[in-house]
Amino acid sequence: METSHVSALQLKHAGIERQIHEEMSRPMPDEVLVQALKKRKLRIKEEIARH
């Protein structure tokens, strides 16, 4: 198992989580952006699960 790769994915996942949180705390969140970020986050989560 490539632990550095998994660590990098976990960092990326956390970064996307933070972006989603920042966008949702704005007065007028961009729902399209939020949905795109959530899809990216899910793909990363699935890739982490495969390792």
Side-chain angles (χ1 to χ4, degrees):
M1 183 190 314
E2 183 81 28
T3 55
S4 63
H5 181 64
V6 172
S7 296
L9 288 172
Q10 289 170 334
L11 279 174
K12 205 181 275 190
H13 186 271
I16 293 172
E17 182 73 46
R18 192 174 57 250
Q19 281 180 280
I20 291 169
H21 182 73
E22 287 172 10
E23 190 62 37
M24 293 303 288
S25 49
R26 290 172 52 172
M28 296 285 289
D30 182 342
E31 288 298 324
V32 175
L33 175 61
V34 170
Q35 287 304 314
L37 289 170
K38 285 182 177 181
K39 284 180 185 170
R40 276 178 46 202
K41 191 175 87 167
L42 180 61
R43 280 196 294 271
I44 291 169
K45 185 177 179 181
E46 290 169 346
E47 192 172 336
I48 291 170
R50 281 197 297 266
H51 286 282

